[in-house]
Every structure is written in C-alpha cells, then in structure tokens.
Amino acid sequence: MSGLVVNIAKNEVIDLSKNSNVTSAQIGLSWEANSTPSRPFDLDASVLLLDAKNNLVELIFYNKLVSTDGGVVHNGDEREGSSSASYEEEITVELSKVSAAIETLAISVSIHRAKQLGLRFGQVGNALVDVIPKGSDTIRHNLSTDSANDAAVVIAKIIRGPNNRWQVQGGGKSYPEFADLLRDHGALV
C-alpha cells in the first residue's frame, strides 16, 4: 500500500488518472465474520465486466479466476474471513489489458448460500474494499448499513472514462441475492 488511505463515499468518484496514467490496481476485500458455530459466513468477491449498456460480458469469481483478456485475475476463495493475510480476497486488474468493449468493472461481494442459511450483510462486521492503484493512494469504501438486509452488493466500480482515463466510484446497489445482481446486469440465471 502506498501513501494515504482515502475513504470514498457511496457514489463518490475519484479519478485514477489525475496524477499519472495508472495502468494497474490491486483490489482487496476484507471483512469479519460475525457468525454462530452452525452458520459460518463465506463472503465471495467477484468482478462483473460490463459493456457500455451496463450488461454483463464476463464474470470473474472463485470458479473463473482469470478474464478472457487477462486483465482481471482473482486470487481464489477465502471461506471464513479474518485470514492471516491483509485481505480475505484479492483481485489484480491490469487496466491496459482490459478489453476496449468493457466500460465498467463492478466489484461485488455476496454471501455464499445466504438464502439457505438466512444470512445478511447486517450480520457481517467491518466489510470494506480497497482499490490500490499502482503508485497511488489507497481508495477505500466501507460497506454501508443500507445493505444490511441484503446478501449481494456492488461495493465499488472501476469505470473507463474518455481517453481510457479510469475512475473509482464508491458503493452501489445492493440485492437480496447474488442472482438478482446478475439479472440486473442482463445475465440469465
């Protein structure tokens, strides 16, 4: 991590290219699982690669770790939170490799088997996403309490602007289930 931690509010936008031409970023997701022994939490990070119409082109998650263009790489699934690493799940983005057809990288977090286990984000502590552009300050967004009754959320977006200038937008819409999030982006589930 380089420099400061800049907290970003829901829907706030920070230009990644304002000081330099950022070509890569590390995404780290962290949380504390407030669970009972019979119902442990498994939060899953994923990245939805979206086109200009906000439709899903590709989904990167624990069962598909690398995007077709090689621009998004997921490090795998952490099933219980509070790992010994800095983040429970990490994703590397090489912005220069992301296909020109992709306008948005929607970073989502969902609770695995939430419906079956009766789990919601209100039962998860200290969930956050850090977007760490290479050579720049960390941009942090904390999961807000308005997602407390849901089990899937777009926690941040990396958006391609004019002339391939990338921006980070904090927060986004939350959903009762991950399938609802996917359907909202044109996926047939």
Side-chain angles (χ1 to χ4, degrees):
M1 180 178 357
S2 169
L4 303 170
V5 174
V6 177
N7 288 302
I8 186 171
K10 187 172 183 175
N11 297 320
E12 183 180 357
V13 176
I14 293 180
D15 186 353
L16 293 181
S17 305
K18 69 178 182 183
N19 296 326
S20 65
N21 189 17
V22 173
T23 59
S24 65
Q26 194 71 24
I27 300 167
L29 292 113
S30 179
W31 66 86
E32 291 177 8
N34 299 337
S35 65
T36 61
S38 63
R39 298 189 311 179
F41 278 80
D42 177 12
L43 270 63
D44 293 319
S46 45
V47 178
L48 289 75
L49 284 73
L50 306 173
D51 65 15
K53 294 182 179 178
N54 215 30
N55 288 322
L56 182 65
V57 174
E58 190 172 11
L59 176 64
I60 305 306
F61 67 115
Y62 60 85
N63 272 346
K64 185 175 190 310
L65 297 175
V66 181
S67 63
T68 303
D69 58 25
V72 180
V73 179
H74 193 301
N75 78 333
D77 192 20
E78 164 58 47
R79 295 180 178 223
E80 296 181 10
S82 301
S83 72
S84 60
S86 298
Y87 299 104
E88 277 63 53
E89 294 192 14
E90 294 181 58
I91 298 163
T92 302
V93 178
E94 292 291 336
L95 297 168
S96 59
K97 290 184 181 180
V98 174
S99 167
I102 303 303
E103 295 264 331
T104 302
L105 304 172
I107 305 158
S108 70
V109 179
S110 57
I111 301 172
H112 185 70
R113 299 183 55 219
K115 188 174 186 177
Q116 297 92 328
L117 298 173
L119 302 174
R120 296 287 175 242
F121 283 128
Q123 300 162 298
V124 177
N126 301 321
L128 62 85
V129 61
D130 284 345
V131 178
I132 310 162
K134 186 174 182 178
S136 189
D137 296 332
T138 297
I139 300 167
R140 175 170 292 163
H141 179 73
N142 292 291
L143 184 63
S144 64
T145 56
D146 51 339
S147 300
N149 294 318
D150 289 317
V153 65
V154 174
I155 194 165
K157 294 179 181 178
I158 300 176
I159 303 166
R160 185 192 311 261
N163 301 319
N164 283 326
R165 293 178 65 86
W166 293 90
Q167 303 171 323
V168 174
Q169 181 179 21
K173 187 174 178 182
S174 61
Y175 302 84
E177 304 296 331
F178 187 60
D180 300 317
L181 185 153
L182 293 175
R183 274 191 288 276
D184 197 32
H185 293 91
L188 301 173
V189 289

